[in-house]
Amino acid sequence: MSSADEPRPVRVLLVEDHDMVAEALQLALDRADGITVVARARSRAEAVADAREHAPDVVVLDRRLADGDALGVIPQLGSGGARVLVLTGDANPAVAVQVAKAGGAGLLLKSSQLGALESAVREVAAGGVVFDPELLPGVFDRLTGRGPAAGAALTARERETLDLLAEGATTDEIGRRLGVSRNTTRNHVQRVLEKLGARSKLEAVAVARREGLIG
């Protein structure tokens, strides 16, 4: 087969702010047949700029970046035709649904094997959708309305925390009213955000209102 007949490699933009992780991921992807990393970015802003400049086929996007939660820029990254595959250290079905609703093509856990990442990149580039097998049943349930309500997994203390967030209470105020330390309060708030698939306190309150968890 002549070089003109060879299929064009899948062009990947890698977005990861931990250099050692980024090096390992790039090495693995560049070694894979038919895949090439055309650029690396360390922040949401760099990712958007590099996506415009390099026109990748797939963006492998770390969720937690120095300048914030990267899920918010999925629509911008995909506006030029790139498919976005989110790579994160921890996730739940609510987060996976958030990725899908933002236009992402999939989500993998960082604990996945590198071979799974390579396969996911190829699948996403071909127009497919890839979600970590552990999350997929929950994603389908939530998207079809068959899953539990968004707040079903909240503990009693987390529901109290959510109620206080809805009142506009600060972290210190919540801690005083619940009679717990600031660190414990922060943990309660973080779990509320994670279980509701929210990126901020305001978004958690908005989700809770939409789901009828608070008035």
Side-chain angles (χ1 to χ4, degrees):
M1 180 183 293
S2 68
S3 59
D5 295 327
E6 293 179 0
R8 186 173 71 88
V10 176
R11 294 164 50 82
V12 174
L13 167 60
L14 179 59
V15 186
E16 169 62 63
D17 61 354
H18 290 88
D19 290 337
M20 290 184 64
V21 175
E23 290 284 353
L25 293 176
Q26 180 169 359
L27 185 61
L29 291 174
D30 278 339
R31 282 180 173 175
D33 290 337
I35 299 176
T36 183
V37 176
V38 295
R40 268 172 43 189
R42 305 183 78 256
S43 68
R44 299 191 310 172
E46 286 181 12
V48 172
D50 284 348
R52 290 171 179 162
E53 179 179 354
H54 297 282
D57 302 305
V58 176
V59 179
V60 175
L61 179 68
D62 182 20
R63 182 186 176 190
R64 305 290 187 186
L65 299 173
D67 57 349
D69 189 327
L71 300 191
V73 295
I74 289 177
Q76 292 170 269
L77 294 173
S79 63
R83 307 266 289 161
V84 180
L85 175 65
V86 175
L87 193 62
T88 184
D90 61 324
N92 55 41
V95 173
V97 168
Q98 193 174 341
V99 170
K101 288 184 175 179
L107 181 148
L108 281 184
L109 297 176
K110 284 187 174 180
S111 57
S112 302
Q113 298 292 323
L114 289 175
L117 175 60
E118 295 172 18
S119 298
V121 167
R122 298 182 201 280
E123 180 69 19
V124 165
V129 175
V130 178
F131 283 92
D132 191 279
E134 295 180 11
L135 303 175
L136 199 54
V139 173
F140 283 138
D141 284 345
R142 285 171 180 263
L143 288 176
T144 58
R146 294 180 299 182
L154 292 178
T155 65
R157 183 48 60 93
E158 288 162 3
R159 285 182 177 275
E160 290 180 289
T161 301
L162 176 59
D163 288 339
L164 292 172
L165 287 175
E167 293 177 16
T170 65
T171 299
D172 288 337
E173 289 170 342
I174 293 172
R176 284 196 299 270
R177 293 174 66 173
L178 295 181
V180 297
S181 70
R182 180 177 176 81
N183 284 340
T184 298
T185 304
R186 289 167 63 90
N187 288 337
H188 287 328
V189 171
Q190 185 59 38
R191 284 196 291 269
V192 169
L193 266 60
E194 289 174 354
K195 290 181 178 180
L196 295 181
R199 298 188 296 264
S200 68
K201 296 176 184 177
L202 286 175
E203 185 176 357
V205 171
V207 170
R209 287 205 170 104
R210 186 173 68 242
E211 297 290 335
L213 301 177
I214 54 178

mmCIF file with all atom_site columns, all heavy atoms in Angstrom, residues 72-97:
data_model
loop_
_atom_site.group_PDB
_atom_site.id
_atom_site.type_symbol
_atom_site.label_atom_id
_atom_site.label_alt_id
_atom_site.label_comp_id
_atom_site.label_asym_id
_atom_site.label_entity_id
_atom_site.label_seq_id
_atom_site.pdbx_PDB_ins_code
_atom_site.Cartn_x
_atom_site.Cartn_y
_atom_site.Cartn_z
_atom_site.occupancy
_atom_site.B_iso_or_equiv
_atom_site.pdbx_formal_charge
_atom_site.auth_seq_id
_atom_site.auth_comp_id
_atom_site.auth_asym_id
_atom_site.auth_atom_id
_atom_site.pdbx_PDB_model_num
ATOM 1   N N   . GLY A 1 72 ? -16.738 21.918 31.748 1.00 0.00 ? 72 GLY A N   1
ATOM 2   C CA  . GLY A 1 72 ? -17.377 23.132 31.251 1.00 0.00 ? 72 GLY A CA  1
ATOM 3   C C   . GLY A 1 72 ? -16.924 23.566 29.872 1.00 0.00 ? 72 GLY A C   1
ATOM 4   O O   . GLY A 1 72 ? -17.608 24.377 29.228 1.00 0.00 ? 72 GLY A O   1
ATOM 5   N N   . VAL A 1 73 ? -15.775 23.058 29.397 1.00 0.00 ? 73 VAL A N   1
ATOM 6   C CA  . VAL A 1 73 ? -15.289 23.474 28.074 1.00 0.00 ? 73 VAL A CA  1
ATOM 7   C C   . VAL A 1 73 ? -15.503 22.392 27.017 1.00 0.00 ? 73 VAL A C   1
ATOM 8   O O   . VAL A 1 73 ? -15.042 22.547 25.887 1.00 0.00 ? 73 VAL A O   1
ATOM 9   C CB  . VAL A 1 73 ? -13.799 23.891 28.114 1.00 0.00 ? 73 VAL A CB  1
ATOM 10  C CG1 . VAL A 1 73 ? -13.617 25.124 28.973 1.00 0.00 ? 73 VAL A CG1 1
ATOM 11  C CG2 . VAL A 1 73 ? -12.913 22.749 28.591 1.00 0.00 ? 73 VAL A CG2 1
ATOM 12  N N   . ILE A 1 74 ? -16.189 21.321 27.358 1.00 0.00 ? 74 ILE A N   1
ATOM 13  C CA  . ILE A 1 74 ? -16.451 20.274 26.361 1.00 0.00 ? 74 ILE A CA  1
ATOM 14  C C   . ILE A 1 74 ? -17.148 20.835 25.112 1.00 0.00 ? 74 ILE A C   1
ATOM 15  O O   . ILE A 1 74 ? -16.751 20.516 23.985 1.00 0.00 ? 74 ILE A O   1
ATOM 16  C CB  . ILE A 1 74 ? -17.267 19.117 26.973 1.00 0.00 ? 74 ILE A CB  1
ATOM 17  C CG1 . ILE A 1 74 ? -16.398 18.315 27.944 1.00 0.00 ? 74 ILE A CG1 1
ATOM 18  C CG2 . ILE A 1 74 ? -17.816 18.189 25.882 1.00 0.00 ? 74 ILE A CG2 1
ATOM 19  C CD1 . ILE A 1 74 ? -17.140 17.195 28.653 1.00 0.00 ? 74 ILE A CD1 1
ATOM 20  N N   . PRO A 1 75 ? -18.189 21.678 25.255 1.00 0.00 ? 75 PRO A N   1
ATOM 21  C CA  . PRO A 1 75 ? -18.829 22.205 24.038 1.00 0.00 ? 75 PRO A CA  1
ATOM 22  C C   . PRO A 1 75 ? -17.866 22.999 23.152 1.00 0.00 ? 75 PRO A C   1
ATOM 23  O O   . PRO A 1 75 ? -17.920 22.887 21.922 1.00 0.00 ? 75 PRO A O   1
ATOM 24  C CB  . PRO A 1 75 ? -19.939 23.108 24.592 1.00 0.00 ? 75 PRO A CB  1
ATOM 25  C CG  . PRO A 1 75 ? -20.256 22.527 25.935 1.00 0.00 ? 75 PRO A CG  1
ATOM 26  C CD  . PRO A 1 75 ? -18.921 22.084 26.470 1.00 0.00 ? 75 PRO A CD  1
ATOM 27  N N   . GLN A 1 76 ? -16.966 23.776 23.768 1.00 0.00 ? 76 GLN A N   1
ATOM 28  C CA  . GLN A 1 76 ? -16.000 24.549 22.985 1.00 0.00 ? 76 GLN A CA  1
ATOM 29  C C   . GLN A 1 76 ? -15.005 23.632 22.291 1.00 0.00 ? 76 GLN A C   1
ATOM 30  O O   . GLN A 1 76 ? -14.649 23.851 21.122 1.00 0.00 ? 76 GLN A O   1
ATOM 31  C CB  . GLN A 1 76 ? -15.248 25.526 23.887 1.00 0.00 ? 76 GLN A CB  1
ATOM 32  C CG  . GLN A 1 76 ? -16.094 26.654 24.439 1.00 0.00 ? 76 GLN A CG  1
ATOM 33  C CD  . GLN A 1 76 ? -15.357 27.439 25.507 1.00 0.00 ? 76 GLN A CD  1
ATOM 34  O OE1 . GLN A 1 76 ? -15.443 27.138 26.696 1.00 0.00 ? 76 GLN A OE1 1
ATOM 35  N NE2 . GLN A 1 76 ? -14.623 28.435 25.086 1.00 0.00 ? 76 GLN A NE2 1
ATOM 36  N N   . LEU A 1 77 ? -14.551 22.610 22.984 1.00 0.00 ? 77 LEU A N   1
ATOM 37  C CA  . LEU A 1 77 ? -13.583 21.686 22.386 1.00 0.00 ? 77 LEU A CA  1
ATOM 38  C C   . LEU A 1 77 ? -14.204 20.921 21.225 1.00 0.00 ? 77 LEU A C   1
ATOM 39  O O   . LEU A 1 77 ? -13.518 20.587 20.260 1.00 0.00 ? 77 LEU A O   1
ATOM 40  C CB  . LEU A 1 77 ? -13.081 20.706 23.450 1.00 0.00 ? 77 LEU A CB  1
ATOM 41  C CG  . LEU A 1 77 ? -12.254 21.315 24.591 1.00 0.00 ? 77 LEU A CG  1
ATOM 42  C CD1 . LEU A 1 77 ? -11.965 20.258 25.663 1.00 0.00 ? 77 LEU A CD1 1
ATOM 43  C CD2 . LEU A 1 77 ? -10.959 21.899 24.065 1.00 0.00 ? 77 LEU A CD2 1
ATOM 44  N N   . GLY A 1 78 ? -15.481 20.642 21.316 1.00 0.00 ? 78 GLY A N   1
ATOM 45  C CA  . GLY A 1 78 ? -16.138 19.885 20.263 1.00 0.00 ? 78 GLY A CA  1
ATOM 46  C C   . GLY A 1 78 ? -16.699 20.717 19.137 1.00 0.00 ? 78 GLY A C   1
ATOM 47  O O   . GLY A 1 78 ? -17.197 20.170 18.147 1.00 0.00 ? 78 GLY A O   1
ATOM 48  N N   . SER A 1 79 ? -16.621 22.038 19.259 1.00 0.00 ? 79 SER A N   1
ATOM 49  C CA  . SER A 1 79 ? -17.254 22.911 18.265 1.00 0.00 ? 79 SER A CA  1
ATOM 50  C C   . SER A 1 79 ? -16.619 22.798 16.884 1.00 0.00 ? 79 SER A C   1
ATOM 51  O O   . SER A 1 79 ? -17.270 23.062 15.870 1.00 0.00 ? 79 SER A O   1
ATOM 52  C CB  . SER A 1 79 ? -17.214 24.370 18.734 1.00 0.00 ? 79 SER A CB  1
ATOM 53  O OG  . SER A 1 79 ? -15.874 24.818 18.854 1.00 0.00 ? 79 SER A OG  1
ATOM 54  N N   . GLY A 1 80 ? -15.340 22.396 16.836 1.00 0.00 ? 80 GLY A N   1
ATOM 55  C CA  . GLY A 1 80 ? -14.669 22.256 15.549 1.00 0.00 ? 80 GLY A CA  1
ATOM 56  C C   . GLY A 1 80 ? -14.721 20.851 14.985 1.00 0.00 ? 80 GLY A C   1
ATOM 57  O O   . GLY A 1 80 ? -14.069 20.567 13.973 1.00 0.00 ? 80 GLY A O   1
ATOM 58  N N   . GLY A 1 81 ? -15.476 19.983 15.615 1.00 0.00 ? 81 GLY A N   1
ATOM 59  C CA  . GLY A 1 81 ? -15.622 18.622 15.122 1.00 0.00 ? 81 GLY A CA  1
ATOM 60  C C   . GLY A 1 81 ? -14.874 17.576 15.927 1.00 0.00 ? 81 GLY A C   1
ATOM 61  O O   . GLY A 1 81 ? -15.016 16.377 15.661 1.00 0.00 ? 81 GLY A O   1
ATOM 62  N N   . ALA A 1 82 ? -14.075 18.005 16.907 1.00 0.00 ? 82 ALA A N   1
ATOM 63  C CA  . ALA A 1 82 ? -13.348 17.037 17.734 1.00 0.00 ? 82 ALA A CA  1
ATOM 64  C C   . ALA A 1 82 ? -14.316 16.277 18.634 1.00 0.00 ? 82 ALA A C   1
ATOM 65  O O   . ALA A 1 82 ? -15.344 16.811 19.060 1.00 0.00 ? 82 ALA A O   1
ATOM 66  C CB  . ALA A 1 82 ? -12.297 17.757 18.581 1.00 0.00 ? 82 ALA A CB  1
ATOM 67  N N   . ARG A 1 83 ? -13.976 15.050 18.916 1.00 0.00 ? 83 ARG A N   1
ATOM 68  C CA  . ARG A 1 83 ? -14.739 14.223 19.849 1.00 0.00 ? 83 ARG A CA  1
ATOM 69  C C   . ARG A 1 83 ? -13.986 14.229 21.171 1.00 0.00 ? 83 ARG A C   1
ATOM 70  O O   . ARG A 1 83 ? -12.766 14.082 21.196 1.00 0.00 ? 83 ARG A O   1
ATOM 71  C CB  . ARG A 1 83 ? -14.863 12.800 19.319 1.00 0.00 ? 83 ARG A CB  1
ATOM 72  C CG  . ARG A 1 83 ? -15.423 12.726 17.900 1.00 0.00 ? 83 ARG A CG  1
ATOM 73  C CD  . ARG A 1 83 ? -16.899 12.512 17.898 1.00 0.00 ? 83 ARG A CD  1
ATOM 74  N NE  . ARG A 1 83 ? -17.207 11.168 18.341 1.00 0.00 ? 83 ARG A NE  1
ATOM 75  C CZ  . ARG A 1 83 ? -18.412 10.799 18.795 1.00 0.00 ? 83 ARG A CZ  1
ATOM 76  N NH1 . ARG A 1 83 ? -19.372 11.681 18.912 1.00 0.00 ? 83 ARG A NH1 1
ATOM 77  N NH2 . ARG A 1 83 ? -18.633 9.550  19.156 1.00 0.00 ? 83 ARG A NH2 1
ATOM 78  N N   . VAL A 1 84 ? -14.704 14.398 22.275 1.00 0.00 ? 84 VAL A N   1
ATOM 79  C CA  . VAL A 1 84 ? -14.061 14.581 23.577 1.00 0.00 ? 84 VAL A CA  1
ATOM 80  C C   . VAL A 1 84 ? -14.230 13.336 24.440 1.00 0.00 ? 84 VAL A C   1
ATOM 81  O O   . VAL A 1 84 ? -15.350 12.888 24.698 1.00 0.00 ? 84 VAL A O   1
ATOM 82  C CB  . VAL A 1 84 ? -14.639 15.809 24.304 1.00 0.00 ? 84 VAL A CB  1
ATOM 83  C CG1 . VAL A 1 84 ? -13.952 15.989 25.657 1.00 0.00 ? 84 VAL A CG1 1
ATOM 84  C CG2 . VAL A 1 84 ? -14.465 17.069 23.458 1.00 0.00 ? 84 VAL A CG2 1
ATOM 85  N N   . LEU A 1 85 ? -13.098 12.792 24.871 1.00 0.00 ? 85 LEU A N   1
ATOM 86  C CA  . LEU A 1 85 ? -13.065 11.638 25.767 1.00 0.00 ? 85 LEU A CA  1
ATOM 87  C C   . LEU A 1 85 ? -12.492 12.097 27.098 1.00 0.00 ? 85 LEU A C   1
ATOM 88  O O   . LEU A 1 85 ? -11.330 12.496 27.176 1.00 0.00 ? 85 LEU A O   1
ATOM 89  C CB  . LEU A 1 85 ? -12.195 10.528 25.166 1.00 0.00 ? 85 LEU A CB  1
ATOM 90  C CG  . LEU A 1 85 ? -11.961 9.285  26.031 1.00 0.00 ? 85 LEU A CG  1
ATOM 91  C CD1 . LEU A 1 85 ? -13.264 8.530  26.260 1.00 0.00 ? 85 LEU A CD1 1
ATOM 92  C CD2 . LEU A 1 85 ? -10.921 8.372  25.374 1.00 0.00 ? 85 LEU A CD2 1
ATOM 93  N N   . VAL A 1 86 ? -13.307 12.072 28.133 1.00 0.00 ? 86 VAL A N   1
ATOM 94  C CA  . VAL A 1 86 ? -12.884 12.542 29.450 1.00 0.00 ? 86 VAL A CA  1
ATOM 95  C C   . VAL A 1 86 ? -12.162 11.415 30.189 1.00 0.00 ? 86 VAL A C   1
ATOM 96  O O   . VAL A 1 86 ? -12.606 10.273 30.201 1.00 0.00 ? 86 VAL A O   1
ATOM 97  C CB  . VAL A 1 86 ? -14.093 13.033 30.273 1.00 0.00 ? 86 VAL A CB  1
ATOM 98  C CG1 . VAL A 1 86 ? -13.662 13.404 31.697 1.00 0.00 ? 86 VAL A CG1 1
ATOM 99  C CG2 . VAL A 1 86 ? -14.738 14.229 29.587 1.00 0.00 ? 86 VAL A CG2 1
ATOM 100 N N   . LEU A 1 87 ? -11.028 11.781 30.802 1.00 0.00 ? 87 LEU A N   1
ATOM 101 C CA  . LEU A 1 87 ? -10.234 10.843 31.578 1.00 0.00 ? 87 LEU A CA  1
ATOM 102 C C   . LEU A 1 87 ? -10.140 11.405 32.993 1.00 0.00 ? 87 LEU A C   1
ATOM 103 O O   . LEU A 1 87 ? -9.683  12.533 33.189 1.00 0.00 ? 87 LEU A O   1
ATOM 104 C CB  . LEU A 1 87 ? -8.845  10.713 30.960 1.00 0.00 ? 87 LEU A CB  1
ATOM 105 C CG  . LEU A 1 87 ? -7.943  9.576  31.426 1.00 0.00 ? 87 LEU A CG  1
ATOM 106 C CD1 . LEU A 1 87 ? -8.571  8.228  31.105 1.00 0.00 ? 87 LEU A CD1 1
ATOM 107 C CD2 . LEU A 1 87 ? -6.577  9.689  30.766 1.00 0.00 ? 87 LEU A CD2 1
ATOM 108 N N   . THR A 1 88 ? -10.596 10.650 33.980 1.00 0.00 ? 88 THR A N   1
ATOM 109 C CA  . THR A 1 88 ? -10.643 11.194 35.336 1.00 0.00 ? 88 THR A CA  1
ATOM 110 C C   . THR A 1 88 ? -10.273 10.132 36.367 1.00 0.00 ? 88 THR A C   1
ATOM 111 O O   . THR A 1 88 ? -10.382 8.936  36.106 1.00 0.00 ? 88 THR A O   1
ATOM 112 C CB  . THR A 1 88 ? -12.046 11.755 35.644 1.00 0.00 ? 88 THR A CB  1
ATOM 113 O OG1 . THR A 1 88 ? -12.062 12.373 36.935 1.00 0.00 ? 88 THR A OG1 1
ATOM 114 C CG2 . THR A 1 88 ? -13.085 10.667 35.599 1.00 0.00 ? 88 THR A CG2 1
ATOM 115 N N   . GLY A 1 89 ? -9.827  10.604 37.520 1.00 0.00 ? 89 GLY A N   1
ATOM 116 C CA  . GLY A 1 89 ? -9.434  9.678  38.576 1.00 0.00 ? 89 GLY A CA  1
ATOM 117 C C   . GLY A 1 89 ? -10.606 9.087  39.314 1.00 0.00 ? 89 GLY A C   1
ATOM 118 O O   . GLY A 1 89 ? -10.524 7.991  39.867 1.00 0.00 ? 89 GLY A O   1
ATOM 119 N N   . ASP A 1 90 ? -11.717 9.818  39.355 1.00 0.00 ? 90 ASP A N   1
ATOM 120 C CA  . ASP A 1 90 ? -12.906 9.306  40.033 1.00 0.00 ? 90 ASP A CA  1
ATOM 121 C C   . ASP A 1 90 ? -14.147 9.866  39.352 1.00 0.00 ? 90 ASP A C   1
ATOM 122 O O   . ASP A 1 90 ? -14.142 10.978 38.845 1.00 0.00 ? 90 ASP A O   1
ATOM 123 C CB  . ASP A 1 90 ? -12.904 9.692  41.516 1.00 0.00 ? 90 ASP A CB  1
ATOM 124 C CG  . ASP A 1 90 ? -12.914 11.196 41.716 1.00 0.00 ? 90 ASP A CG  1
ATOM 125 O OD1 . ASP A 1 90 ? -12.269 11.900 40.916 1.00 0.00 ? 90 ASP A OD1 1
ATOM 126 O OD2 . ASP A 1 90 ? -13.553 11.671 42.663 1.00 0.00 ? 90 ASP A OD2 1
ATOM 127 N N   . ALA A 1 91 ? -15.176 9.071  39.314 1.00 0.00 ? 91 ALA A N   1
ATOM 128 C CA  . ALA A 1 91 ? -16.419 9.505  38.662 1.00 0.00 ? 91 ALA A CA  1
ATOM 129 C C   . ALA A 1 91 ? -17.553 8.638  39.158 1.00 0.00 ? 91 ALA A C   1
ATOM 130 O O   . ALA A 1 91 ? -17.351 7.589  39.762 1.00 0.00 ? 91 ALA A O   1
ATOM 131 C CB  . ALA A 1 91 ? -16.301 9.410  37.145 1.00 0.00 ? 91 ALA A CB  1
ATOM 132 N N   . ASN A 1 92 ? -18.769 9.090  38.896 1.00 0.00 ? 92 ASN A N   1
ATOM 133 C CA  . ASN A 1 92 ? -19.969 8.317  39.200 1.00 0.00 ? 92 ASN A CA  1
ATOM 134 C C   . ASN A 1 92 ? -20.933 8.506  38.044 1.00 0.00 ? 92 ASN A C   1
ATOM 135 O O   . ASN A 1 92 ? -20.671 9.300  37.137 1.00 0.00 ? 92 ASN A O   1
ATOM 136 C CB  . ASN A 1 92 ? -20.564 8.758  40.540 1.00 0.00 ? 92 ASN A CB  1
ATOM 137 C CG  . ASN A 1 92 ? -20.846 10.248 40.581 1.00 0.00 ? 92 ASN A CG  1
ATOM 138 O OD1 . ASN A 1 92 ? -21.333 10.817 39.601 1.00 0.00 ? 92 ASN A OD1 1
ATOM 139 N ND2 . ASN A 1 92 ? -20.556 10.895 41.699 1.00 0.00 ? 92 ASN A ND2 1
ATOM 140 N N   . PRO A 1 93 ? -22.043 7.776  38.022 1.00 0.00 ? 93 PRO A N   1
ATOM 141 C CA  . PRO A 1 93 ? -22.972 7.913  36.895 1.00 0.00 ? 93 PRO A CA  1
ATOM 142 C C   . PRO A 1 93 ? -23.463 9.333  36.671 1.00 0.00 ? 93 PRO A C   1
ATOM 143 O O   . PRO A 1 93 ? -23.677 9.745  35.525 1.00 0.00 ? 93 PRO A O   1
ATOM 144 C CB  . PRO A 1 93 ? -24.115 6.971  37.274 1.00 0.00 ? 93 PRO A CB  1
ATOM 145 C CG  . PRO A 1 93 ? -23.465 5.914  38.095 1.00 0.00 ? 93 PRO A CG  1
ATOM 146 C CD  . PRO A 1 93 ? -22.430 6.643  38.901 1.00 0.00 ? 93 PRO A CD  1
ATOM 147 N N   . ALA A 1 94 ? -23.626 10.113 37.744 1.00 0.00 ? 94 ALA A N   1
ATOM 148 C CA  . ALA A 1 94 ? -24.088 11.494 37.579 1.00 0.00 ? 94 ALA A CA  1
ATOM 149 C C   . ALA A 1 94 ? -23.081 12.319 36.790 1.00 0.00 ? 94 ALA A C   1
ATOM 150 O O   . ALA A 1 94 ? -23.449 13.127 35.930 1.00 0.00 ? 94 ALA A O   1
ATOM 151 C CB  . ALA A 1 94 ? -24.332 12.132 38.946 1.00 0.00 ? 94 ALA A CB  1
ATOM 152 N N   . VAL A 1 95 ? -21.789 12.126 37.066 1.00 0.00 ? 95 VAL A N   1
ATOM 153 C CA  . VAL A 1 95 ? -20.748 12.831 36.318 1.00 0.00 ? 95 VAL A CA  1
ATOM 154 C C   . VAL A 1 95 ? -20.729 12.365 34.868 1.00 0.00 ? 95 VAL A C   1
ATOM 155 O O   . VAL A 1 95 ? -20.593 13.171 33.939 1.00 0.00 ? 95 VAL A O   1
ATOM 156 C CB  . VAL A 1 95 ? -19.373 12.624 36.975 1.00 0.00 ? 95 VAL A CB  1
ATOM 157 C CG1 . VAL A 1 95 ? -18.262 13.209 36.104 1.00 0.00 ? 95 VAL A CG1 1
ATOM 158 C CG2 . VAL A 1 95 ? -19.336 13.261 38.355 1.00 0.00 ? 95 VAL A CG2 1
ATOM 159 N N   . ALA A 1 96 ? -20.872 11.056 34.656 1.00 0.00 ? 96 ALA A N   1
ATOM 160 C CA  . ALA A 1 96 ? -20.880 10.524 33.296 1.00 0.00 ? 96 ALA A CA  1
ATOM 161 C C   . ALA A 1 96 ? -22.039 11.093 32.482 1.00 0.00 ? 96 ALA A C   1
ATOM 162 O O   . ALA A 1 96 ? -21.884 11.427 31.303 1.00 0.00 ? 96 ALA A O   1
ATOM 163 C CB  . ALA A 1 96 ? -20.950 8.993  33.332 1.00 0.00 ? 96 ALA A CB  1
ATOM 164 N N   . VAL A 1 97 ? -23.197 11.229 33.120 1.00 0.00 ? 97 VAL A N   1
ATOM 165 C CA  . VAL A 1 97 ? -24.348 11.826 32.433 1.00 0.00 ? 97 VAL A CA  1
ATOM 166 C C   . VAL A 1 97 ? -24.058 13.291 32.108 1.00 0.00 ? 97 VAL A C   1
ATOM 167 O O   . VAL A 1 97 ? -24.416 13.789 31.032 1.00 0.00 ? 97 VAL A O   1
ATOM 168 C CB  . VAL A 1 97 ? -25.615 11.710 33.301 1.00 0.00 ? 97 VAL A CB  1
ATOM 169 C CG1 . VAL A 1 97 ? -26.747 12.567 32.736 1.00 0.00 ? 97 VAL A CG1 1
ATOM 170 C CG2 . VAL A 1 97 ? -26.065 10.257 33.375 1.00 0.00 ? 97 VAL A CG2 1
#
